[in-house]
Every structure is written in C-alpha cells, then in structure tokens.
Amino acid sequence: MTATSVVAFGGGHGLSASLRALRHCAGELDLDITAVVTVGDDGGSSGRLRAERGGLPPGDLRQALVALAGDHPATRRSAGLFQHRFTGDPRDGLAGHAVGNLVLCGLMEQLGDPVAALAHAGAMLGTVGRVLPMSAQPVDIEAQVRGVDPAHPDELRTVRGQHQVAVTTGTVEALRLTPDAPVACPEAVAAVGGADWLIFGPGSWYTSVLPHLLVPGLAEAIVTSPARRLVTLNLAAEQETLGLSVADHLAALRWYLPQLTVDYVVADSKAVGDPEPVGRAAESLGARLVLAPVAVDDGTPRHDPAALAAALVPVLGADR
C-alpha cells in the first residue's frame, strides 16, 4: 500500500502547527509529507541575512524543518540547536540570529542550490518529510492598504515588505509579489502534481498562505492537480487580517485564485462563532465544513497538534 502524499503550504508558526499535526497523524495514516514554504520574510534574523548575504530568507524554512525533525534523541538535540537564538548586545553580529538560520544560509552558499541545502539540513535533522521553497528566488510582498493613517481612513497606501504588511494597522485590499511572476520551485510543482492532498493554513493569511497563489507556476499546479484540497482556518484574527471575518478568509482564496476549489474546511468549533456564514463560504468553494476542537486548552489562539491531527485523520483517511 502506497503512502498518502500530502503537500502543506504556508510559513512560520502556522505551517509548523500544520506539520506537527501531520506528524501526529502518522500513528494511523502512512503520510508522505512535503512542506512548501513562502520566501518573502524580510524581518528579524531572516531579514538581516537576506539583506547582508542575499539568497532566500531562512527563518520559515528552518521552522518547517524543525517541525518535521525526527524523534531520535540526537536529532531532537539538533532541532533544539537550530532553534537556539543568540542573545546579547544588538550591536553584536550574532545577537538575534537563530543557529538554524546561519546553518541554512551557509548550506545555500556552499551548495548553490536551496533545494539541495534543505535536503542536507533535513538529513541532519532526520526529518520525516521534506521542505521546499515556493520559489528559489526571494520575493517581496506588497499590499494596498486602506486607513494606514487613522487621520485619513479612506486613503489607500502601498505597504512594502512582509513584516510591514503583517503589522499594518489598516485594511489590506490587494496583495502582490515583487517580482510579480516569480518562478516556482520545480520540485514544489512536481510535488503538487503528484499529491493526494493539498493543505492550506493555518497561518498569516496575507503573508504566509496567499503568496503561494501568486506564483503563476505554483498556482497552475494547484488548480490542475488531481489532489483533494483542505483549508485549516485560523483561531483568531491577526493584525494583518483585523476586520476580516472567518468567511472572508475563504473568500480571499477565491479572489486570488478564482479557479480554486476546496474539498474540506477545518475550523475550531468555538473560534468559528456562528458556523452558518462560514459554512456558506466553504460551500462556495465546493467544500464541506468540519468543526472540531483543535485549539490548545489554555485559551491562547494556538492549534494543538494532537487535537488538529484528530480532526485531520478521518478526513485524510477517507476514500474518495
């Protein structure tokens, strides 16, 4: 019996939560996991390395690798090392950098190929699955935002950079990438074409989830793939999506990729509020809404990997 091939899209903590949940599914399902990661980060350690050294920002790639790291004590220690962040005076060159970011930056320079660098790092961490960039070239994220200046609530301004879009105080009305047609990573395109499932979210909608739909080669692969598609909704609005309803998150997927159809939408039964508009939004994409308790029980808006896995198993394991 062949494994079920799953491709998960995103970046940062949201993708990490999705990958950890998929790891939890392994007890009941045989999954072949591929993470396709956004490459627009321009803040923090990743932004500094990108500005100083060029190449792909490593932070989101690092988090995906760590989420898929193996369970052997040695690989767990290596995963902890990848996450270790140097402290100290901000003027110190190492302060603020995660060790894994430096390792990935070094591997990409040494090997000259981000896919090969990620494969090597995956071998170091014993990853259960592989990590790929959505494009081998870094991108910049730009948004048209209304009401950035409270004194001019109707004024539309361009906000540039993933970090600035993520923390904007206005309402994002349009999103674009620079360059506007980045070349999709061929290995990611192939993974999508051969997948049984494509999973979108959770994660920062405008800066981690939607950018994948703006890469032409990847968008075409997503639309034409025979895979079933699943969307995992966030537990709370983030700064970049304040004012965006849960149903609006689903509408945004169709706005940026009109041909997209979805089979299932997974949402937390408490966080979703009134399920009726969310159900209608899911149906507009062709999807069935699955409500389940997928949040951690301490009240913070974070997905619990084991609980999310419990919701995913019957969906991913279902026959067509």
Side-chain angles (χ1 to χ4, degrees), residues 104-164:
L104 285 175
C105 185
L107 283 171
M108 286 189 277
E109 288 188 7
Q110 183 182 51
L111 299 177
D113 176 4
V115 172
L118 288 163
H120 188 93
M124 293 170 65
L125 297 177
T127 54
V128 181
R130 61 177 175 162
V131 175
L132 298 169
M134 71 177 190
S135 173
Q137 61 183 130
V139 302
D140 289 308
I141 294 175
E142 294 185 2
Q144 292 295 306
V145 183
R146 192 174 300 279
V148 174
D149 182 354
H152 303 280
D154 295 324
E155 184 177 76
L156 201 62
R157 292 188 184 179
T158 299
V159 175
R160 294 182 173 87
Q162 177 174 307
H163 175 70
Q164 290 303 317

Side-chain angles (χ1 to χ4, degrees), residues 14 32 40 75 95 116 123 147 151 192 196 205 240 247 284 290 304 307 309:
D32 177 10
T75 56
V192 171
D196 297 301
W205 223 241
E240 67 182 48
S284 73
V290 176
D304 178 84

